[in-house]
Structure formats: structure tokens, C-alpha cells
Amino acid sequence: MGSSSLPRAAVLAVALLLLADSGEAFFDLFSIFRPRSDSDYFPFDGSPGQAKRKPKIEQEEDGAAPATATGLTKVPPLGAPSKAALDTIVLPVDDSAGHAGSWTIVSENSGVSAMHLAVMRHGKAIMFDTSTTGRSLMRLPMNNCRADPRAKREGTMDCWAHAVEFDYSTGALRSLKTATDTWCSSGAFDADGNLIQTGGYFEGDKAVRRLDACDTCDWREYPNSFAEGRWYATQQVLPDGRFIVFGGRRAFSYEFVPQPGMTNGQSIKFPLLRETTDDVENNLYPFVNLLPDGNLFVFANDRSVVFDHRTGKVVRELPKLAGGGRNHPASAMSAMLPLDLRNLTRGADPEPEVIVCGGALKTAFRLGENNTYQPTLRDCARINLGKIDAVWAVEAMPVGRVMGDLLVLPTGDLLMLNGAAKGSSGWGFARQPILSPILYSPRHPEGSRFRPLAASTVARMYHSTSAVLPDATVLVAGGNTNAAYNFSGVDFPTEVRVERFAPPYLSRELTGNRAVIDVASVPAGGMRYGTKFTFRFHTPVAAVEWGDVRVTMYAPPFTTHGYSMNQRLLVLPVAGFSAQGQMYELTVDTPRKPELAPPGYYLVYVVSKDVPSEAAWVKIQ
């Protein structure tokens, strides 16, 4: 199928800029089916939707550093906000239950807009975007630039960092060097808490990258690991510690991540992905969850299956979720609800529930090409996969949302934030950013689950991210609705500010309930499956009893494009509780098998009277 026969919608709004002095080519991404070739990348032709402009050399760009500079450069001046930028959604705050949360700015300039975000066990967050769109605001050291594989002139070097290590406690930054393009890639943590990151674009689409958790580590890359390119794919950790990667553009298949330096000979077909591909795809970044029985839940566009990765067979197909598209570029939010291990019959598994909220009509992206922005979907649907006759139970959110993030908080509630009320994913394809986060309480009765919280002042739509931090706050970053780092002359300037949201449970009036874990008491060897785990904590003011306390363990995800891969929260049974003066000793039953909690590092919280402590990093193996 030739590129001329497919609509521009299939390119996901790629209006790439002619970069300053690199001589880079532009790319025709119009065809989603034909094999990749050099003809996919051709010079900018000034076609509709791609504003022609005279390239500037770097020294002419507002805010640019001298060519010999290294490190962080200043944010260029912002233009006056457009009419579209002022058209935001702020919901009335529900403060009937008390404090509604608060926002602070952690950093005015992260150097790189966080298209991808992951929190690592050494106290740092990793943020990165793409090398496709040229300069960022952070330079690499001059002796550590990357060779630009797309430059017309051989030997051209790219000295802009496209990844940073961000200290969320201090705001300090360290540049990281990506040799291959990480645009719209995927990731997960291995059993030792190291980031294993996969796919991307162009020379990076078959790459596997590794970043260890240390203050001096940088990326190690293996460019030719996959049989097929993995661009907009989803990576899931398995009970044995391996990773499986589903889909990506033009990849209707899955693969297991090979060992470093190894190459997969072939991929494995996954018919659901081809069957759910429409004219603008709407099935990229499929939602994937590991279930307690070891099978996988895989959702693409509006269909889902339970899949046994061990046999390569679909166990069952689930009812269709009607109403629109749910995956990129329709971009709904999704997560698995907390797995409560308490009060189970011996040897039984908890019943897993998956939630999918928002999204867009399947025509939203195509209409966005003509500057028509459809209202997004308001429905929020849950399905209990533990029931053989499972059906979707649907309720309405306060506002429709596309491109939102959905985080599972340490308390077991969910936080919806970021995104827009009109349009779809894509550069410039959405309007009406939603500034109000919403707390979703899955244990509340239907009709009382949604609570609008205090609003941010920063619009975050396409390419925005968020993450739960060890102190139970939420890091919020990114947002780039443009095809490059544009700070003026656009409706929504590129966002390099980083925020922190403190949910209602961290209000001042509740701090007396907040437990403090005695880190020295946490066993250095971590948890073992199916055993007891004992540690101590204290509370600053209020005394607690057995019934006041819960223990949760959270798997930090890899977040991009509104989906937090591998996110899961478990509620552990409390097997022992005793007061020792002002200190409490707590014993919990650990998850009995890796299907419940794959090996790796988790954030363990003590939730005292619904207020979470700062977490301890604990390894389960």
C-alpha cells in the first residue's frame, strides 16, 4: 500500500521541523503497513500542516547557549498566551472531605521535556524525550556528543541531551546520553531495579537500552535486538523476570526482550493487534497487565483478551468496550486496581479488576487534521477478570478526558490528572487542557467515587507524564504538543517545568497520623515469597491500633503517552502488630508467588488511618 493512498491521519500528526544546522531530513510516516525504507524520510516539502520557516542557526535562537557551552540553558521567552491556551477546564473543588491537595513547582527548567518518566530506587527520576526534534535545553559535555545518524553531512554531532537524571528532592540535573532515538518507546524495571528500556524510532526502533540505578551510570544500548521495530509498543515484566513487548507501529506481534547483545530471529504474530488497527490505528501502546494466575490482560482499541504467554494462546476474549477508541491516539487512561491479599482463602488469588477511563471517538484524530476537536469520552469502565462472565461496568466521570495519566496511590485510591477535554493525542490535535486532577476511590459506592481536587496552573497534554514518589506525593512533568521545543508562537508552549502534587492525605491536619518507617529495621535482604516480613514504625502524635494500619507495596511504573506500564499496588495481610513504647512492630505476609508481584524493588508504605508514610524501598525475590 503506497503512502499516497493513506490519510495524513496515519502519521500521528508528525509535522517535523527542519532542524537548525544539522542538515537532517524530514520523514514521511504516512504508511503504517509498508516496510520501512529510506524513502520514509524525505526533505520537508511545505505540505499543509507543516509551516515553512527559514531555519535559524543556533546562536540566533532565543535563549540558546554559545556553541561551546555545556549543561542547562535558559528557557526562551514565552509569547503571550493564545485564546486556545486560555480555554482550560477547572472543575469546582470538592472540599467536603477536607483538604483537596496542593501544588508546588519543583523545577522551572528540567532541560528535557519529559515524554517518558520513571522513578528509580536511588532517589532519582529519569526523564527523556526524542532526538528527532532537535535541540533540548540541556547540553551534553562537548567530549560526549552523539553521532547524528540522520544528518546529511557525515560526522555531524548532536550535542543536546535528550535524557536527564532528575533529583526530585533538590531539582538537580545530570545529562544522560542516548545514542539511539527513544521517541515513543517503552520500559520496565528488572529484578535489581535497573531500567530496561525498549524500542523507539528510526535507528532506535529495535533497540534495548539499560540504565543502572547509580549516580554515575549512563545508558548502555543494544541497537539490533528485536526482529521488528517497536515504536509505540508496551513492555510488561513477567513472573520469571523476563520482559514481553507487544505491538508498535506496523508491528502486529510480540517478542520477548533478548539478553544483551543477542538478536531475536523472528517475532510472534498477535492477531488482535492487526484486527484492531483502523485508519488512524487507535491501538498503539496497548494496555497490558499481569494477572495473578500468570496470564496477561491485553487491551487494544476497544477489544481485549486474556492471553497465556507461556503457550502463546488466547485463553478468552472479553466483551467489547463500546463507545470509541481507548489506545493511542485515542489515548484513554488505564490501570489494574489494587490487589488485596487480605482475607483470602489459603492459596486463593485475588480477583483482578482493570479500569479504563476516557479516550476519544475513533474519528477524533482524523477530524483534528481539520482543526475540529471532538469532545472526549466521559465513561469510566471496570471489568472483574476473576469472573468467567465478566462484563464492563460503566459510570461517568465529571469530565471527559484524553491523554490523562492514571496513577494508583499508596492508599489504593487512583489519581487522574493531565490531559484534555477535546481532541486526541498528537501534535496540536487537542484543546481545553484539564487542570483539575480527580481522585477516584474504587471502594466507594458507585456515584460517589469521583472527587475533583485542587487545580494546577500548568496545562499538560500530549507527551506529559506523572509518577508516584516515595514520599507519597506525585511528580508531574512534560507536555509538548509541538513538533519541537517551541516556546512562543504556539498555543501550548513546550513544558520544562516540573511540579509536585500533594494529595489530600498529606494535609497538615493529618500529619499526626503519618507513620515513619524505621528504615534500619527493614531487613536488608528484602522479602522472600510466601514468608513473614517484620519491621518497625512510629507515628509523630496519634497512637494507632492494629485496625488503623494497612501495608501496601507499589511497583514503580514506566510512564509515557498516558500509560504507566507495570504499575501495580498490593495490600498485604498484617500478621502481627505490637506496641513497643512509642514504636510499633509490624509483621506482614509477603506475596506468595511472583505472579502476584514479579521480582524487583517495590515501595512499601505503612498507611495509618488512611495516611501513607514515606516508603521504604524493598526488594522481593
Side-chain angles (χ1 to χ4, degrees):
M1 184 179 294
S3 63
S4 61
S5 65
L6 286 174
R8 187 173 69 91
V11 310
L12 299 182
V14 180
L16 298 176
L17 297 172
L18 182 59
L19 302 177
D21 59 316
S22 67
E24 288 194 24
F26 275 88
F27 319 112
D28 169 19
L29 310 176
F30 295 143
S31 175
I32 63 174
F33 294 108
R34 63 182 171 82
R36 188 186 309 283
S37 70
D38 289 343
S39 64
D40 277 344
Y41 319 106
F42 61 87
F44 176 75
D45 61 4
S47 59
Q50 295 178 322
K52 186 177 291 185
R53 65 180 179 87
K54 180 182 177 181
K56 290 183 179 182
I57 63 172
E58 185 175 281
Q59 285 77 8
E60 293 177 320
E61 295 183 23
D62 292 335
T68 56
T70 61
L72 194 65
T73 67
K74 66 181 180 180
V75 179
L78 300 179
S82 68
K83 182 178 179 180
L86 295 172
D87 183 14
T88 60
I89 299 290
V90 176
L91 301 174
V93 173
D94 180 355
D95 56 6
S96 61
H99 181 66
S102 60
W103 292 86
T104 55
I105 298 287
V106 181
S107 173
E108 292 285 350
N109 183 3
S110 58
V112 168
S113 187
M115 179 190 297
H116 312 82
L117 175 63
V119 174
M120 300 188 73
R121 62 180 175 85
H122 68 305
K124 308 292 171 56
I126 306 303
M127 301 176 177
F128 54 101
D129 62 351
T130 170
S131 56
T132 299
T133 57
R135 59 160 296 179
S136 63
L137 296 184
M138 170 70 86
R139 278 191 171 277
L140 291 166
M142 294 303 293
N143 62 352
N144 195 36
C145 298
R146 66 184 287 272
D148 188 342
R150 278 166 285 179
K152 290 182 177 180
R153 295 188 298 274
E154 186 175 353
T156 297
M157 304 301 289
D158 174 9
C159 292
W160 294 104
H162 304 291
V164 294
E165 180 186 78
F166 178 76
D167 188 324
Y168 47 79
S169 298
T170 67
L173 292 164
R174 181 170 70 93
S175 63
L176 300 172
K177 178 183 176 180
T178 53
T180 58
D181 195 347
T182 54
W183 187 15
C184 304
S185 51
S186 48
F189 290 106
D190 69 9
D192 293 319
N194 303 312
L195 181 57
I196 308 300
Q197 209 270 318
T198 54
Y201 183 62
F202 197 70
E203 79 287 347
D205 67 347
K206 297 182 179 180
V208 173
R209 307 170 193 87
R210 176 189 176 104
L211 180 64
D212 291 351
C214 83
D215 291 331
T216 58
C217 294
D218 211 333
W219 295 100
R220 285 181 277 165
E221 305 194 33
Y222 307 92
N224 297 302
S225 298
F226 290 117
E228 288 195 78
R230 300 294 166 187
W231 188 28
Y232 297 91
T234 297
Q235 180 177 338
Q236 173 66 49
V237 63
L238 298 174
D240 61 5
R242 293 183 302 155
F243 304 100
I244 189 171
V245 179
F246 283 91
R249 298 204 65 196
R250 309 173 182 159
F252 311 112
S253 62
Y254 67 90
E255 297 181 53
F256 298 94
V257 175
Q259 292 296 314
M262 304 297 290
T263 300
N264 287 343
Q266 62 182 20
S267 60
I268 305 166
K269 291 181 180 179
F270 196 67
L272 178 71
L273 295 176
R274 182 174 286 277
E275 293 164 5
T276 54
T277 295
D278 54 33
D279 62 343
V280 295
E281 300 182 88
N282 280 322
N283 70 349
L284 302 175
Y285 281 125
F287 304 141
V288 182
N289 294 103
L290 173 66
L291 304 180
D293 62 2
N295 290 325
L296 299 174
F297 170 81
V298 184
F299 186 106
N301 199 330
D302 58 5
R303 290 173 52 194
S304 55
V305 298
V306 174
F307 176 69
D308 188 339
H309 62 90
R310 297 152 296 198
T311 64
K313 304 294 184 183
V314 171
V315 175
R316 58 175 167 145
E317 180 154 359
L318 300 159
K320 190 175 185 178
L321 181 55
R326 311 290 175 168
N327 298 90
H328 184 84
S331 297
M333 305 170 284
S334 183
M336 186 164 66
L337 297 185
L339 295 173
D340 195 337
L341 306 187
R342 302 172 299 175
N343 304 317
L344 294 175
T345 303
R346 185 174 180 84
D349 287 331
E351 293 186 346
E353 283 192 80
V354 171
I355 189 168
V356 178
C357 298
L361 296 174
K362 295 187 179 184
T363 53
F365 187 91
R366 181 182 288 277
L367 289 172
E369 295 181 301
N370 299 315
N371 300 317
T372 299
Y373 308 100
Q374 289 183 307
T376 55
L377 303 182
R378 283 188 64 190
D379 56 340
C380 198
R382 288 164 59 165
I383 189 166
N384 185 335
L385 301 172
K387 299 187 181 301
I388 195 65
D389 57 350
V391 295
W392 292 97
V394 181
E395 56 189 319
M397 300 186 291
V399 63
R401 195 181 300 242
V402 68
M403 297 182 292
D405 284 333
L406 185 61
L407 295 176
V408 184
L409 298 176
T411 56
D413 289 335
L414 277 64
L415 185 69
M416 303 175 177
L417 70 169
N418 299 337
K422 288 184 177 180
S424 75
S425 285
W427 277 320
F429 277 45
R431 290 295 184 272
Q432 289 191 335
I434 302 172
L435 303 184
S436 297
I438 292 176
L439 189 70
Y440 176 81
S441 300
R443 294 164 292 175
H444 287 190
E446 186 175 347
S448 61
R449 292 173 177 159
F450 298 97
R451 181 189 173 197
L453 301 177
S456 171
T457 58
V458 180
R460 297 194 190 269
M461 300 193 294
Y462 196 41
H463 293 154
S464 60
T465 49
S466 60
V468 175
L469 293 178
D471 68 356
T473 63
V474 174
L475 195 70
V476 186
N480 190 356
T481 64
N482 315 294
Y485 278 56
N486 293 336
F487 296 91
S488 62
V490 292
D491 287 321
F492 303 101
T494 301
E495 268 302 339
V496 291
R497 287 176 291 178
V498 182
E499 295 173 284
R500 187 191 299 259
F501 178 66
Y505 52 59
L506 294 179
S507 64
R508 290 182 179 178
E509 56 266 29
L510 297 177
T511 54
N513 294 336
R514 194 173 193 198
V516 178
I517 295 175
D518 177 7
V519 177
S521 73
V522 176
M527 293 182 180
R528 299 282 177 176
Y529 291 107
T531 61
K532 306 291 184 184
F533 184 75
T534 300
F535 61 98
R536 295 189 300 273
F537 74 93
H538 74 273
T539 53
V541 178
V544 294
E545 299 176 353
W546 187 315
D548 296 329
V549 174
R550 288 179 290 142
V551 176
T552 59
M553 59 184 290
Y554 179 72
F558 176 92
T559 299
T560 187
H561 289 74
Y563 185 50
S564 292
M565 304 175 193
N566 297 284
Q567 177 177 227
R568 67 201 293 121
L569 183 85
L570 298 95
V571 185
L572 303 183
V574 176
F577 178 88
S578 63
Q580 301 176 351
Q582 293 182 320
M583 191 73 69
Y584 299 91
E585 185 171 272
L586 192 60
T587 298
V588 295
D589 293 326
T590 65
R592 61 184 179 83
K593 59 180 184 177
E595 287 79 5
L596 294 169
Y601 278 86
Y602 290 72
L603 291 170
V604 173
Y605 296 88
V606 173
V607 182
S608 172
K609 297 182 179 180
D610 294 324
V611 179
S613 67
E614 184 162 348
W617 285 99
V618 177
K619 184 178 184 180
I620 188 168
Q621 54 191 328

